[in-house]
Amino acid sequence: MASEELYFTNTHEWLKKLKGKKIRIGISAHAQEELGDIVGVELPETGAAFSREDPIGVIESVKAVSDVNCPVTGTVVTVNEALEETPELLNEDPFGQGWIAELEMEDEKELEELMNNEEYETF
């Protein structure tokens, strides 16, 4: 279950604010349920810059191949390399060990355009 400290996109990515302008992103429980068993993940490159809603990575499941969209504009500072060997972490723990990347966001005002947990549950 999602916590109150998460933000969500309408394409089912989540964002958690860390220290300063650093954020962590992943996919929602709903997204991983819709995808089914996840068998592969294409992670972004460290240092790569993305605009809000740009594809930042790819998730391959037994049902489909889906883009992961960047919830805010920012630069990748680290990726979850464990997903390369164990992509099923996205199914098993989407809000914990199944995170995808951490970014340094450019503008915190973009958070205002995302949904909180309650809004996402309604969505």
Side-chain angles (χ1 to χ4, degrees), residues 52-100:
R52 183 169 177 244
E53 299 180 356
D54 280 353
I56 194 170
V58 177
I59 295 173
E60 183 180 348
S61 75
V62 294
K63 292 183 181 178
V65 174
S66 299
D67 285 337
V68 176
N69 297 312
C70 198
V72 294
T73 302
T75 302
V76 177
V77 292
T78 189
V79 297
N80 186 357
E81 294 177 3
L83 295 177
E84 293 175 338
E85 296 291 320
T86 319
E88 61 270 17
L89 287 172
L90 286 165
N91 290 118
E92 295 166 2
D93 192 11
F95 298 108
Q97 294 180 352
W99 62 276
I100 294 170

Side-chain angles (χ1 to χ4, degrees), residues 9-119:
T9 68
N10 61 4
T11 53
H12 307 289
E13 290 85 16
W14 59 261
L15 173 154
K16 179 179 182 180
K17 195 164 180 327
L18 303 174
K19 277 189 159 181
K21 289 189 170 189
K22 193 172 180 184
I23 59 156
R24 179 175 281 176
I25 65 170
I27 62 168
S28 71
H30 174 77
Q32 66 82 22
E33 287 168 10
E34 290 294 310
L35 287 167
D37 292 336
I38 295 171
V39 296
V41 180
E42 210 175 283
L43 298 169
E45 294 287 324
T46 301
F50 294 92
S51 294
R52 183 169 177 244
E53 299 180 356
D54 280 353
I56 194 170
V58 177
I59 295 173
E60 183 180 348
S61 75
V62 294
K63 292 183 181 178
V65 174
S66 299
D67 285 337
V68 176
N69 297 312
C70 198
V72 294
T73 302
T75 302
V76 177
V77 292
T78 189
V79 297
N80 186 357
E81 294 177 3
L83 295 177
E84 293 175 338
E85 296 291 320
T86 319
E88 61 270 17
L89 287 172
L90 286 165
N91 290 118
E92 295 166 2
D93 192 11
F95 298 108
Q97 294 180 352
W99 62 276
I100 294 170
E102 292 181 351
L103 288 82
E104 188 78 24
M105 72 177 149
E106 280 186 20
D107 186 359
E108 290 188 54
K109 287 183 181 175
E110 285 186 329
L111 294 176
E112 296 169 9
E113 298 175 39
L114 301 175
M115 292 178 269
N116 64 29
N117 188 49
E118 187 178 310
E119 292 166 332

